[in-house]
Amino acid sequence: MSGGDQENRQFLFHDELSALFSQRPTGRGPNDEPSLLDFGLQSVSSPPTSLTDLLHGSTTTTDYGLLARSFGLPMPLDVLGSGGMTVPGDNASNSFTPLSGGGGAATPYSSTSSSSTEAAGEEDGERCKKNQEKREEEVENQLVTGDEEGEMSKKMNKPKKKGEKRQKEPRFAFVTKSEVDHLEDGYRWRKYGQKAVKNSPYPRSYYRCTTQKCPVKKRVERSYQDPTIVITTYEGKHTHQCPATLRGSSHLLAPPPAMSASFFQAELAMAHQMTQQPQFGYTSMAGNLTPPLQQLQFPQDYGLLQDIMPSFFQGSQP
DNA sequence: CGACTTTGACCTGCGC
DNA sequence: GCGCAGGTCAAAGTCG
């Protein structure tokens, strides 16, 4: 399905994207609205490039300063101190604070957040909390008690653990200018659903990592403003290595079985590459933001960023 | 035949 | 309480 994808990516956070793409002004026609391109995206003239290609082709130098500049962020030294992660050198086997993932520890940021952007994420997270809890429990039931009860609970939703809040999964979104919806990122995905999106003619597709017990999901949707723009939202962290990485070159990483280290390193590498290759059209986000986007409360998402991309932040660590 | 996609149904949370 | 929207399930279909 996917293949050499024409991409022009920018790093965004899901919540920001939600705000960005859900706030479709009513009373204005699409033609009157600022295109996403107005937000900093430029058209792509580069040849098709898959994420995997970039992943393997880049030097994967994770440069926080670069991204920080892109986002108009301060350097994160103070943040690093509270992250609770250890980032020993540029060895890929970094350790870091678990991102949540079913009882994982909440990050300092996700737990203290109350901003609008966070609220959006929280709301979204809350929404599927029950479902996820249920399913996690179902899996357990099936593993422990056999199929009958598991089968039972498939359709029956027993209210459980009321009041207990499920940790919200870290999410990370990309805006990608691409012809295809499902972009190659080195992992294997199974589509498990598709829904029409309100205020958008384009459906949202739901994918799950096909690796057993890997909880990572991703959503893919097109911008209603610019159909060539694909919004990909990753949720959770991989519990395994990237198949493409395993198959392909080994120079990139031998990271912990987490998406954070490998995948985002790749993404960041790509971002880095893009900034160095103007033909990619990768431009500074913050610098081109219209006020609504500039109002994004970055520090908290920034903490999330730190969480999911520890290797990225290590670049700022002496 | 296994892996994957499609698609309608179902569940949940939220706003009115 | 009701309707809506988002998210997921799972049977059926498709493909290599």
Side-chain angles (χ1 to χ4, degrees):
Chain A
M1 216 187 233
S2 55
D5 307 328
Q6 220 173 21
E7 299 174 1
N8 178 18
R9 292 184 175 220
Q10 289 198 334
F11 294 94
L12 279 181
F13 294 92
H14 169 75
D15 297 341
E16 298 167 1
L17 287 165
S18 297
L20 174 59
F21 294 110
S22 65
Q23 289 173 3
R24 181 179 192 170
T26 54
R28 288 181 70 190
N31 294 336
D32 298 325
E33 297 169 11
S35 157
L36 265 176
L37 295 179
D38 297 335
F39 294 128
L41 288 174
Q42 297 174 352
S43 53
V44 175
S45 58
S46 62
T49 307
S50 75
L51 176 56
T52 313
D53 290 342
L54 285 164
L55 187 148
H56 290 286
S58 77
T59 57
T60 71
T61 302
T62 53
D63 179 358
Y64 171 75
L66 181 70
L67 199 60
R69 282 195 300 276
S70 294
F71 284 120
L73 294 177
M75 296 307 278
L77 295 178
D78 54 331
V79 181
L80 281 170
S82 61
M85 62 181 181
T86 55
V87 280
D90 63 4
N91 189 320
S93 57
N94 300 333
S95 65
F96 48 88
T97 307
L99 294 179
S100 69
T107 74
Y109 301 94
S110 55
S111 61
T112 59
S113 58
S114 62
S115 71
S116 56
T117 52
E118 186 67 20
E122 187 70 46
E123 177 226 345
D124 208 18
E126 291 278 344
R127 182 163 296 154
C128 58
K129 230 171 237 180
K130 285 271 176 66
N131 270 344
Q132 191 132 344
E133 256 176 30
K134 176 187 66 183
R135 271 171 222 118
E136 284 164 5
E137 203 129 344
E138 282 167 7
V139 170
E140 267 178 45
N141 280 344
Q142 284 178 322
L143 287 175
V144 174
T145 68
D147 42 18
E148 206 165 315
E149 203 161 349
E151 194 66 36
M152 191 67 172
S153 56
K154 268 178 192 169
K155 290 271 175 175
M156 309 293 289
N157 292 312
K158 310 172 197 169
K160 284 209 170 181
K161 297 180 185 174
K162 258 194 178 175
E164 180 178 325
K165 286 201 167 186
R166 185 180 63 89
Q167 298 298 337
K168 110 179 150 171
E169 292 285 331
R171 278 181 289 189
F172 193 86
F174 296 94
V175 174
T176 307
K177 194 167 175 65
S178 173
E179 299 294 319
V180 299
D181 288 343
H182 193 192
L183 300 165
E184 196 68 47
D185 60 9
Y187 290 93
R188 294 179 63 82
W189 301 93
R190 169 173 300 194
K191 189 175 185 175
Y192 66 88
Q194 178 171 306
K195 283 289 285 189
V197 181
K198 189 188 176 189
N199 289 334
S200 172
Y202 306 100
R204 174 183 298 149
S205 298
Y206 299 88
Y207 296 89
R208 230 194 299 268
C209 183
T210 59
T211 303
Q212 271 196 345
K213 293 190 178 180
C214 180
V216 178
K217 287 177 274 189
K218 78 174 179 180
R219 285 175 287 183
V220 178
E221 64 185 285
R222 287 196 175 275
S223 165
Y224 66 84
Q225 291 179 320
D226 186 342
T228 66
I229 288 176
V230 178
I231 305 145
T232 306
T233 305
Y234 293 88
E235 182 173 337
K237 59 175 183 176
H238 289 284
T239 58
H240 57 96
Q241 293 187 351
C242 172
T245 302
L246 290 172
R247 279 199 310 267
S249 66
S250 58
H251 81 274
L252 180 59
L253 5 118
M259 150 180 156
S260 314
S262 56
F263 175 75
F264 287 118
Q265 196 165 24
E267 292 289 351
L268 288 163
M270 181 169 63
H272 190 174
Q273 196 167 14
M274 284 174 170
T275 57
Q276 295 183 332
Q277 299 179 7
Q279 71 269 23
F280 274 99
Y282 182 84
T283 58
S284 164
M285 193 66 188
N288 293 316
L289 293 183
T290 54
L293 273 177
Q294 287 175 322
Q295 288 170 4
L296 294 173
Q297 301 189 11
F298 205 87
Q300 285 159 11
D301 286 329
Y302 166 77
L304 178 60
L305 177 63
Q306 175 198 357
D307 261 351
I308 36 193
M309 300 187 293
S311 60
F312 169 74
F313 287 90
Q314 91 190 43
S316 65
Q317 195 103 327

